[in-house]
Amino acid sequence: MNGLRIPPGIQVFNSIKNFRQWRRQILLDRQTLGYVPTMGALHRGHLSLVSKAKAACDHVALTIFVNPAQFSPNEDLGTYPRTLQADLDALAQHLDKAAVLVPQVAEMYPSGIEPEVSKQVGAFVEVKGFSHQLEGTTRPHFFRGVATVVSKFLNIVEPEQVFFGQKDAQQCVVIQRMIHDLHFNVKMNICSTVRESDGLAMSSRNTYLTPIQRKYALVLYNALKLMEEMYEKSTKHAPTLIAAATELVNRTQQEAQAECEIKLDYISIASPKDLNEVKGDIADGCIMSGAVYVGKTRLIDNLMVNVNL
Ligand code: PAF
């Protein structure tokens, strides 16, 4: 926090206790609080959630916390962009007032947080049945980490409403289920994905991309759009759609070979109800989603077809 310039209208809290005092006053004033959980490196996607929170509630709070529990030991916890000053400045430009809780890892995880799940001690939250597939295949402990930190923050912030981006569709499904099953008294809002003008979904990890990689980063969105277009015009057969999308990624991979490495992680067409793969024809709505490595950066995206989360 040393050297941090706090812009007008923005209140920054480093301790949970001080944040709770601020929050308590809002309750005493019978006003409402909208909450946007983030890991910082704010982009227009986050700011659109902030705008939604502002429109729906009297006050807005954000948390900025790079949550160690949702990174596995081989992932980018150490290099994840930490841009607190720029985040606060962007917020101040976007709205007249907001509270930002920026807690320490030690306070968030009083029992400690070992990188290896098998060595961890303390309380963790798991949402079974929704966390192992799709993103969970490559990132088996990711949603345990997300559900744990979001439940901690919902207990701390106690917002009337919380705002998530649809870009992380599985995260939305997991948190929806957690809020429901654990009786969190909060309204969850899932807001549309914000995209760059060419269609690339906004993500803090886009900053990792070199200009050449950025050029190829659209490969996943293009593959999802192809499936959506085929679904509308020619076939509802999920395996056929996935084969066409996979072929598009493979073709792009070959074109890019000399300039940039592209690796498909998965392409999926799943039911929004249970996140299980659609095996034959898509009967109702579905989530078309995927993950692709462009260079070392893992990009995810999704399209909702005839369905809302
Ligand atoms: O979506 C994110 O940025 C994170 O997963 C979240 C919800 C802030 C939890 O760390």
Short mmCIF file of all heavy atoms in Angstrom, two decimals, residues 33-93:
data_model
loop_
_atom_site.label_atom_id
_atom_site.label_comp_id
_atom_site.label_asym_id
_atom_site.label_seq_id
_atom_site.Cartn_x
_atom_site.Cartn_y
_atom_site.Cartn_z
N LEU A 33 -26.15 -2.34 -0.89
CA LEU A 33 -24.76 -2.48 -1.35
C LEU A 33 -24.68 -3.50 -2.49
O LEU A 33 -25.14 -4.64 -2.36
CB LEU A 33 -23.88 -2.94 -0.17
CG LEU A 33 -22.40 -3.16 -0.47
CD1 LEU A 33 -21.73 -1.90 -0.99
CD2 LEU A 33 -21.68 -3.66 0.78
N GLY A 34 -24.07 -3.07 -3.60
CA GLY A 34 -23.80 -3.97 -4.72
C GLY A 34 -22.32 -4.30 -4.73
O GLY A 34 -21.49 -3.42 -4.53
N TYR A 35 -22.00 -5.57 -4.98
CA TYR A 35 -20.62 -6.05 -4.79
C TYR A 35 -20.09 -6.70 -6.07
O TYR A 35 -20.77 -7.53 -6.68
CB TYR A 35 -20.60 -7.03 -3.62
CG TYR A 35 -19.34 -7.86 -3.51
CD1 TYR A 35 -18.09 -7.26 -3.54
CD2 TYR A 35 -19.42 -9.24 -3.35
CE1 TYR A 35 -16.94 -8.02 -3.44
CE2 TYR A 35 -18.27 -10.01 -3.23
CZ TYR A 35 -17.04 -9.39 -3.28
OH TYR A 35 -15.90 -10.15 -3.19
N VAL A 36 -18.86 -6.32 -6.42
CA VAL A 36 -18.18 -6.92 -7.58
C VAL A 36 -16.87 -7.55 -7.10
O VAL A 36 -15.92 -6.84 -6.75
CB VAL A 36 -17.88 -5.85 -8.66
CG1 VAL A 36 -17.20 -6.50 -9.87
CG2 VAL A 36 -19.15 -5.12 -9.08
N PRO A 37 -16.80 -8.90 -7.06
CA PRO A 37 -15.54 -9.55 -6.68
C PRO A 37 -14.58 -9.53 -7.86
O PRO A 37 -14.98 -9.83 -8.98
CB PRO A 37 -15.95 -11.01 -6.37
CG PRO A 37 -17.35 -11.17 -6.84
CD PRO A 37 -17.87 -9.87 -7.33
N THR A 38 -13.31 -9.18 -7.62
CA THR A 38 -12.32 -9.17 -8.72
C THR A 38 -10.96 -9.63 -8.19
O THR A 38 -10.73 -9.64 -6.98
CB THR A 38 -12.12 -7.77 -9.35
OG1 THR A 38 -11.19 -7.03 -8.54
CG2 THR A 38 -13.40 -6.98 -9.47
N MET A 39 -10.11 -9.93 -9.15
CA MET A 39 -8.70 -10.17 -8.80
C MET A 39 -7.86 -8.99 -9.28
O MET A 39 -6.65 -9.10 -9.43
CB MET A 39 -8.20 -11.48 -9.43
CG MET A 39 -8.97 -12.69 -8.89
SD MET A 39 -8.02 -14.22 -8.89
CE MET A 39 -7.69 -14.44 -10.61
N GLY A 40 -8.52 -7.87 -9.58
CA GLY A 40 -7.80 -6.69 -10.03
C GLY A 40 -7.48 -6.76 -11.51
O GLY A 40 -8.12 -7.51 -12.26
N ALA A 41 -6.50 -5.95 -11.95
CA ALA A 41 -6.20 -5.79 -13.38
C ALA A 41 -7.52 -5.47 -14.11
O ALA A 41 -7.89 -6.13 -15.09
CB ALA A 41 -5.51 -7.03 -13.96
N LEU A 42 -8.19 -4.46 -13.60
CA LEU A 42 -9.54 -4.15 -14.06
C LEU A 42 -9.55 -3.74 -15.54
O LEU A 42 -8.70 -2.99 -15.99
CB LEU A 42 -10.16 -3.02 -13.22
CG LEU A 42 -10.26 -3.28 -11.71
CD1 LEU A 42 -11.01 -2.12 -11.04
CD2 LEU A 42 -10.93 -4.60 -11.39
N HIS A 43 -10.55 -4.26 -16.25
CA HIS A 43 -10.74 -3.88 -17.65
C HIS A 43 -12.21 -3.50 -17.84
O HIS A 43 -12.97 -3.48 -16.85
CB HIS A 43 -10.32 -5.02 -18.59
CG HIS A 43 -10.91 -6.35 -18.21
ND1 HIS A 43 -12.25 -6.62 -18.29
CD2 HIS A 43 -10.33 -7.48 -17.73
CE1 HIS A 43 -12.49 -7.85 -17.90
NE2 HIS A 43 -11.33 -8.41 -17.53
N ARG A 44 -12.59 -3.24 -19.09
CA ARG A 44 -13.96 -2.74 -19.32
C ARG A 44 -15.04 -3.75 -18.89
O ARG A 44 -16.15 -3.37 -18.58
CB ARG A 44 -14.14 -2.35 -20.79
CG ARG A 44 -13.52 -0.97 -21.08
CD ARG A 44 -14.06 -0.40 -22.36
NE ARG A 44 -13.52 -1.08 -23.52
CZ ARG A 44 -14.23 -1.79 -24.40
NH1 ARG A 44 -15.54 -1.91 -24.27
NH2 ARG A 44 -13.65 -2.37 -25.42
N GLY A 45 -14.67 -5.02 -18.87
CA GLY A 45 -15.62 -6.04 -18.39
C GLY A 45 -15.95 -5.80 -16.93
O GLY A 45 -17.12 -5.77 -16.53
N HIS A 46 -14.91 -5.60 -16.11
CA HIS A 46 -15.14 -5.33 -14.68
C HIS A 46 -15.94 -4.03 -14.52
O HIS A 46 -16.85 -3.95 -13.69
CB HIS A 46 -13.81 -5.15 -13.94
CG HIS A 46 -12.95 -6.37 -13.89
ND1 HIS A 46 -11.74 -6.44 -14.53
CD2 HIS A 46 -13.12 -7.55 -13.26
CE1 HIS A 46 -11.20 -7.63 -14.30
NE2 HIS A 46 -12.01 -8.31 -13.54
N LEU A 47 -15.54 -3.02 -15.31
CA LEU A 47 -16.20 -1.71 -15.13
C LEU A 47 -17.68 -1.78 -15.51
O LEU A 47 -18.51 -1.08 -14.94
CB LEU A 47 -15.46 -0.63 -15.93
CG LEU A 47 -14.02 -0.37 -15.45
CD1 LEU A 47 -13.33 0.66 -16.32
CD2 LEU A 47 -13.97 0.08 -13.98
N SER A 48 -18.01 -2.67 -16.45
CA SER A 48 -19.43 -2.81 -16.79
C SER A 48 -20.18 -3.45 -15.61
O SER A 48 -21.34 -3.11 -15.35
CB SER A 48 -19.62 -3.59 -18.08
OG SER A 48 -19.57 -4.96 -17.83
N LEU A 49 -19.53 -4.35 -14.87
CA LEU A 49 -20.18 -4.93 -13.68
C LEU A 49 -20.37 -3.85 -12.62
O LEU A 49 -21.40 -3.79 -11.94
CB LEU A 49 -19.33 -6.07 -13.10
CG LEU A 49 -19.05 -7.27 -14.01
CD1 LEU A 49 -18.19 -8.30 -13.28
CD2 LEU A 49 -20.34 -7.92 -14.48
N VAL A 50 -19.36 -2.99 -12.49
CA VAL A 50 -19.43 -1.89 -11.54
C VAL A 50 -20.61 -0.97 -11.90
O VAL A 50 -21.37 -0.54 -11.02
CB VAL A 50 -18.09 -1.11 -11.53
CG1 VAL A 50 -18.21 0.22 -10.83
CG2 VAL A 50 -16.99 -1.96 -10.89
N SER A 51 -20.77 -0.69 -13.18
CA SER A 51 -21.90 0.16 -13.62
C SER A 51 -23.24 -0.48 -13.26
O SER A 51 -24.17 0.19 -12.82
CB SER A 51 -21.89 0.36 -15.13
OG SER A 51 -20.74 1.03 -15.49
N LYS A 52 -23.32 -1.80 -13.46
CA LYS A 52 -24.57 -2.51 -13.13
C LYS A 52 -24.84 -2.42 -11.63
O LYS A 52 -25.97 -2.20 -11.20
CB LYS A 52 -24.48 -3.98 -13.55
CG LYS A 52 -24.32 -4.18 -15.04
CD LYS A 52 -25.66 -4.49 -15.69
CE LYS A 52 -25.71 -4.27 -17.18
NZ LYS A 52 -24.66 -4.89 -17.98
N ALA A 53 -23.78 -2.58 -10.84
CA ALA A 53 -23.92 -2.52 -9.38
C ALA A 53 -24.39 -1.13 -8.96
O ALA A 53 -25.26 -0.97 -8.10
CB ALA A 53 -22.60 -2.89 -8.71
N LYS A 54 -23.80 -0.14 -9.61
CA LYS A 54 -24.13 1.25 -9.26
C LYS A 54 -25.61 1.54 -9.61
O LYS A 54 -26.31 2.24 -8.86
CB LYS A 54 -23.20 2.18 -10.04
CG LYS A 54 -23.38 3.61 -9.67
CD LYS A 54 -22.54 4.53 -10.51
CE LYS A 54 -22.98 5.96 -10.24
NZ LYS A 54 -22.61 6.89 -11.21
N ALA A 55 -26.04 1.02 -10.75
CA ALA A 55 -27.42 1.27 -11.17
C ALA A 55 -28.42 0.58 -10.24
O ALA A 55 -29.53 1.06 -10.05
CB ALA A 55 -27.61 0.79 -12.62
N ALA A 56 -28.00 -0.55 -9.65
CA ALA A 56 -28.96 -1.35 -8.87
C ALA A 56 -28.95 -1.02 -7.38
O ALA A 56 -29.92 -1.33 -6.68
CB ALA A 56 -28.63 -2.83 -9.06
N CYS A 57 -27.87 -0.43 -6.88
CA CYS A 57 -27.72 -0.29 -5.41
C CYS A 57 -27.25 1.13 -5.05
O CYS A 57 -26.73 1.86 -5.89
CB CYS A 57 -26.68 -1.29 -4.91
SG CYS A 57 -27.15 -2.99 -5.25
N ASP A 58 -27.40 1.47 -3.77
CA ASP A 58 -26.97 2.79 -3.31
C ASP A 58 -25.46 2.92 -3.25
O ASP A 58 -24.91 4.00 -3.45
CB ASP A 58 -27.53 3.05 -1.89
CG ASP A 58 -29.04 3.01 -1.87
OD1 ASP A 58 -29.64 3.65 -2.74
OD2 ASP A 58 -29.62 2.31 -1.01
N HIS A 59 -24.79 1.82 -2.91
CA HIS A 59 -23.33 1.85 -2.76
C HIS A 59 -22.72 0.69 -3.53
O HIS A 59 -23.38 -0.33 -3.75
CB HIS A 59 -22.92 1.73 -1.28
CG HIS A 59 -23.38 2.89 -0.46
ND1 HIS A 59 -22.60 3.99 -0.22
CD2 HIS A 59 -24.58 3.11 0.16
CE1 HIS A 59 -23.29 4.86 0.52
NE2 HIS A 59 -24.48 4.34 0.76
N VAL A 60 -21.44 0.87 -3.88
CA VAL A 60 -20.73 -0.18 -4.62
C VAL A 60 -19.45 -0.55 -3.86
O VAL A 60 -18.71 0.34 -3.41
CB VAL A 60 -20.34 0.31 -6.04
CG1 VAL A 60 -19.50 -0.73 -6.77
CG2 VAL A 60 -21.58 0.66 -6.85
N ALA A 61 -19.22 -1.84 -3.71
CA ALA A 61 -17.94 -2.30 -3.14
C ALA A 61 -17.31 -3.31 -4.09
O ALA A 61 -18.01 -4.08 -4.75
CB ALA A 61 -18.17 -2.95 -1.78
N LEU A 62 -16.00 -3.25 -4.15
CA LEU A 62 -15.24 -4.26 -4.91
C LEU A 62 -14.26 -4.91 -3.95
O LEU A 62 -13.83 -4.28 -2.97
CB LEU A 62 -14.40 -3.62 -6.02
CG LEU A 62 -15.08 -3.10 -7.26
CD1 LEU A 62 -15.55 -1.68 -7.01
CD2 LEU A 62 -14.13 -3.12 -8.44
N THR A 63 -13.88 -6.13 -4.26
CA THR A 63 -12.69 -6.68 -3.62
C THR A 63 -11.66 -6.88 -4.71
O THR A 63 -12.00 -7.24 -5.86
CB THR A 63 -12.97 -8.02 -2.91
OG1 THR A 63 -13.69 -8.89 -3.81
CG2 THR A 63 -13.80 -7.81 -1.66
N ILE A 64 -10.41 -6.59 -4.38
CA ILE A 64 -9.31 -6.87 -5.28
C ILE A 64 -8.39 -7.82 -4.53
O ILE A 64 -7.77 -7.44 -3.52
CB ILE A 64 -8.57 -5.57 -5.68
CG1 ILE A 64 -9.52 -4.69 -6.52
CG2 ILE A 64 -7.29 -5.90 -6.44
CD1 ILE A 64 -8.89 -3.41 -7.07
N PHE A 65 -8.36 -9.07 -4.98
CA PHE A 65 -7.62 -10.08 -4.24
C PHE A 65 -7.24 -11.21 -5.19
O PHE A 65 -8.12 -11.87 -5.74
CB PHE A 65 -8.49 -10.64 -3.09
CG PHE A 65 -7.80 -11.67 -2.25
CD1 PHE A 65 -6.72 -11.32 -1.45
CD2 PHE A 65 -8.23 -12.99 -2.26
CE1 PHE A 65 -6.06 -12.28 -0.67
CE2 PHE A 65 -7.60 -13.95 -1.49
CZ PHE A 65 -6.51 -13.59 -0.69
N VAL A 66 -5.94 -11.37 -5.41
CA VAL A 66 -5.47 -12.48 -6.25
C VAL A 66 -5.45 -13.70 -5.35
O VAL A 66 -4.59 -13.84 -4.47
CB VAL A 66 -4.08 -12.16 -6.86
CG1 VAL A 66 -3.63 -13.30 -7.76
CG2 VAL A 66 -4.13 -10.85 -7.65
N ASN A 67 -6.44 -14.54 -5.56
CA ASN A 67 -6.76 -15.62 -4.62
C ASN A 67 -5.86 -16.84 -4.82
O ASN A 67 -6.05 -17.58 -5.80
CB ASN A 67 -8.23 -16.00 -4.83
CG ASN A 67 -8.64 -17.23 -4.06
OD1 ASN A 67 -8.13 -17.46 -2.96
ND2 ASN A 67 -9.54 -18.00 -4.63
N PRO A 68 -4.92 -17.10 -3.92
CA PRO A 68 -3.98 -18.21 -4.16
C PRO A 68 -4.68 -19.56 -4.28
O PRO A 68 -4.20 -20.44 -5.00
CB PRO A 68 -3.05 -18.18 -2.94
CG PRO A 68 -3.67 -17.27 -1.95
CD PRO A 68 -4.65 -16.39 -2.66
N ALA A 69 -5.84 -19.71 -3.60
CA ALA A 69 -6.49 -21.03 -3.58
C ALA A 69 -7.04 -21.46 -4.94
O ALA A 69 -7.36 -22.63 -5.13
CB ALA A 69 -7.61 -21.03 -2.54
N GLN A 70 -7.16 -20.53 -5.89
CA GLN A 70 -7.70 -20.94 -7.18
C GLN A 70 -6.61 -21.12 -8.25
O GLN A 70 -6.93 -21.32 -9.42
CB GLN A 70 -8.80 -19.99 -7.65
CG GLN A 70 -8.36 -18.60 -8.03
CD GLN A 70 -9.55 -17.65 -8.20
OE1 GLN A 70 -10.21 -17.25 -7.25
NE2 GLN A 70 -9.85 -17.29 -9.44
N PHE A 71 -5.35 -21.05 -7.82
CA PHE A 71 -4.24 -21.31 -8.74
C PHE A 71 -3.59 -22.63 -8.33
O PHE A 71 -3.33 -22.84 -7.14
CB PHE A 71 -3.17 -20.22 -8.62
CG PHE A 71 -3.60 -18.88 -9.16
CD1 PHE A 71 -4.41 -18.04 -8.40
CD2 PHE A 71 -3.19 -18.45 -10.42
CE1 PHE A 71 -4.80 -16.80 -8.88
CE2 PHE A 71 -3.59 -17.20 -10.90
CZ PHE A 71 -4.39 -16.37 -10.14
N SER A 72 -3.31 -23.50 -9.29
CA SER A 72 -2.54 -24.69 -8.92
C SER A 72 -1.06 -24.33 -9.00
O SER A 72 -0.70 -23.32 -9.62
CB SER A 72 -2.92 -25.89 -9.79
OG SER A 72 -2.79 -25.55 -11.12
N PRO A 73 -0.18 -25.16 -8.38
CA PRO A 73 1.22 -24.77 -8.28
C PRO A 73 1.90 -24.45 -9.62
O PRO A 73 2.82 -23.66 -9.67
CB PRO A 73 1.87 -25.99 -7.62
CG PRO A 73 0.76 -26.64 -6.86
CD PRO A 73 -0.49 -26.39 -7.64
N ASN A 74 1.40 -25.05 -10.74
CA ASN A 74 2.03 -24.78 -12.03
C ASN A 74 1.42 -23.60 -12.77
O ASN A 74 1.75 -23.33 -13.92
CB ASN A 74 1.94 -26.04 -12.93
CG ASN A 74 0.50 -26.42 -13.19
OD1 ASN A 74 -0.42 -25.96 -12.50
ND2 ASN A 74 0.27 -27.25 -14.20
N GLU A 75 0.49 -22.87 -12.14
CA GLU A 75 -0.18 -21.77 -12.85
C GLU A 75 0.48 -20.42 -12.54
O GLU A 75 1.54 -20.35 -11.92
CB GLU A 75 -1.67 -21.78 -12.52
CG GLU A 75 -2.37 -22.96 -13.19
CD GLU A 75 -3.86 -22.99 -12.95
OE1 GLU A 75 -4.34 -22.36 -11.98
OE2 GLU A 75 -4.55 -23.66 -13.73
N ASP A 76 -0.22 -19.33 -12.96
CA ASP A 76 0.42 -18.01 -13.03
C ASP A 76 0.18 -17.12 -11.81
O ASP A 76 0.13 -15.89 -11.95
CB ASP A 76 -0.03 -17.29 -14.31
CG ASP A 76 -1.55 -17.17 -14.41
OD1 ASP A 76 -2.25 -17.89 -13.67
OD2 ASP A 76 -2.04 -16.36 -15.21
N LEU A 77 0.08 -17.72 -10.61
CA LEU A 77 -0.16 -16.89 -9.41
C LEU A 77 0.90 -15.80 -9.26
O LEU A 77 0.58 -14.63 -8.99
CB LEU A 77 -0.19 -17.79 -8.15
CG LEU A 77 -0.27 -17.07 -6.81
CD1 LEU A 77 -1.57 -16.28 -6.68
CD2 LEU A 77 -0.16 -18.05 -5.64
N GLY A 78 2.16 -16.16 -9.48
CA GLY A 78 3.26 -15.22 -9.28
C GLY A 78 3.26 -14.08 -10.27
O GLY A 78 3.65 -12.95 -9.95
N THR A 79 2.80 -14.35 -11.49
CA THR A 79 2.89 -13.34 -12.55
C THR A 79 1.54 -12.68 -12.86
O THR A 79 1.47 -11.81 -13.73
CB THR A 79 3.42 -13.95 -13.86
OG1 THR A 79 2.58 -15.07 -14.18
CG2 THR A 79 4.86 -14.39 -13.74
N TYR A 80 0.48 -13.12 -12.18
CA TYR A 80 -0.84 -12.54 -12.46
C TYR A 80 -0.76 -11.02 -12.31
O TYR A 80 -0.19 -10.53 -11.33
CB TYR A 80 -1.90 -13.12 -11.50
CG TYR A 80 -3.30 -12.83 -11.99
CD1 TYR A 80 -3.92 -13.67 -12.90
CD2 TYR A 80 -3.98 -11.70 -11.56
CE1 TYR A 80 -5.19 -13.39 -13.38
CE2 TYR A 80 -5.25 -11.41 -12.04
CZ TYR A 80 -5.84 -12.26 -12.96
OH TYR A 80 -7.09 -11.96 -13.45
N PRO A 81 -1.29 -10.24 -13.27
CA PRO A 81 -1.10 -8.78 -13.21
C PRO A 81 -1.65 -8.16 -11.93
O PRO A 81 -2.80 -8.39 -11.57
CB PRO A 81 -1.85 -8.27 -14.45
CG PRO A 81 -2.65 -9.40 -14.98
CD PRO A 81 -2.05 -10.66 -14.45
N ARG A 82 -0.80 -7.39 -11.27
CA ARG A 82 -1.22 -6.68 -10.05
C ARG A 82 -1.03 -5.19 -10.33
O ARG A 82 0.10 -4.72 -10.41
CB ARG A 82 -0.39 -7.14 -8.85
CG ARG A 82 -0.78 -8.55 -8.36
CD ARG A 82 0.33 -9.18 -7.55
NE ARG A 82 -0.05 -10.43 -6.91
CZ ARG A 82 0.05 -11.65 -7.44
NH1 ARG A 82 0.48 -11.79 -8.69
NH2 ARG A 82 -0.28 -12.72 -6.75
N THR A 83 -2.15 -4.49 -10.51
CA THR A 83 -2.10 -3.11 -11.03
C THR A 83 -2.99 -2.22 -10.17
O THR A 83 -3.85 -1.50 -10.71
CB THR A 83 -2.59 -3.10 -12.49
OG1 THR A 83 -3.93 -3.64 -12.53
CG2 THR A 83 -1.73 -3.93 -13.42
N LEU A 84 -2.78 -2.27 -8.85
CA LEU A 84 -3.72 -1.62 -7.93
C LEU A 84 -3.92 -0.13 -8.21
O LEU A 84 -5.06 0.35 -8.25
CB LEU A 84 -3.27 -1.86 -6.48
CG LEU A 84 -4.23 -1.37 -5.41
CD1 LEU A 84 -5.63 -1.95 -5.59
CD2 LEU A 84 -3.70 -1.71 -4.02
N GLN A 85 -2.81 0.60 -8.42
CA GLN A 85 -2.95 2.04 -8.65
C GLN A 85 -3.83 2.31 -9.89
O GLN A 85 -4.75 3.12 -9.84
CB GLN A 85 -1.57 2.70 -8.82
CG GLN A 85 -1.64 4.21 -8.98
CD GLN A 85 -2.13 4.91 -7.71
OE1 GLN A 85 -1.49 4.82 -6.67
NE2 GLN A 85 -3.28 5.57 -7.77
N ALA A 86 -3.52 1.61 -10.98
CA ALA A 86 -4.30 1.80 -12.22
C ALA A 86 -5.75 1.39 -11.99
O ALA A 86 -6.68 2.03 -12.52
CB ALA A 86 -3.69 0.98 -13.35
N ASP A 87 -5.97 0.36 -11.19
CA ASP A 87 -7.35 -0.10 -10.91
C ASP A 87 -8.14 0.98 -10.18
O ASP A 87 -9.29 1.27 -10.53
CB ASP A 87 -7.33 -1.38 -10.06
CG ASP A 87 -6.78 -2.57 -10.81
OD1 ASP A 87 -6.62 -2.48 -12.05
OD2 ASP A 87 -6.47 -3.59 -10.16
N LEU A 88 -7.51 1.58 -9.17
CA LEU A 88 -8.21 2.61 -8.39
C LEU A 88 -8.48 3.83 -9.27
O LEU A 88 -9.57 4.42 -9.21
CB LEU A 88 -7.38 3.00 -7.16
CG LEU A 88 -7.08 1.88 -6.16
CD1 LEU A 88 -6.25 2.42 -5.00
CD2 LEU A 88 -8.35 1.24 -5.63
N ASP A 89 -7.49 4.19 -10.10
CA ASP A 89 -7.69 5.34 -10.99
C ASP A 89 -8.83 5.08 -11.98
O ASP A 89 -9.67 5.95 -12.22
CB ASP A 89 -6.39 5.64 -11.76
CG ASP A 89 -5.29 6.16 -10.83
OD1 ASP A 89 -5.62 6.60 -9.71
OD2 ASP A 89 -4.11 6.09 -11.22
N ALA A 90 -8.87 3.87 -12.52
CA ALA A 90 -9.93 3.53 -13.47
C ALA A 90 -11.29 3.59 -12.79
O ALA A 90 -12.27 4.10 -13.36
CB ALA A 90 -9.70 2.14 -14.06
N LEU A 91 -11.36 3.11 -11.57
CA LEU A 91 -12.62 3.14 -10.82
C LEU A 91 -13.08 4.57 -10.59
O LEU A 91 -14.26 4.90 -10.77
CB LEU A 91 -12.43 2.49 -9.46
CG LEU A 91 -12.65 0.99 -9.38
CD1 LEU A 91 -12.40 0.52 -7.95
CD2 LEU A 91 -14.06 0.63 -9.81
N ALA A 92 -12.12 5.43 -10.17
CA ALA A 92 -12.46 6.82 -9.86
C ALA A 92 -12.96 7.54 -11.10
O ALA A 92 -13.82 8.43 -11.02
CB ALA A 92 -11.25 7.53 -9.28
N GLN A 93 -12.44 7.13 -12.26
CA GLN A 93 -12.92 7.76 -13.50
C GLN A 93 -14.30 7.26 -13.88
O GLN A 93 -15.03 7.89 -14.62
CB GLN A 93 -11.94 7.48 -14.63
CG GLN A 93 -10.80 8.47 -14.62
CD GLN A 93 -9.71 8.10 -15.60
OE1 GLN A 93 -9.94 7.36 -16.54
NE2 GLN A 93 -8.52 8.59 -15.36
#
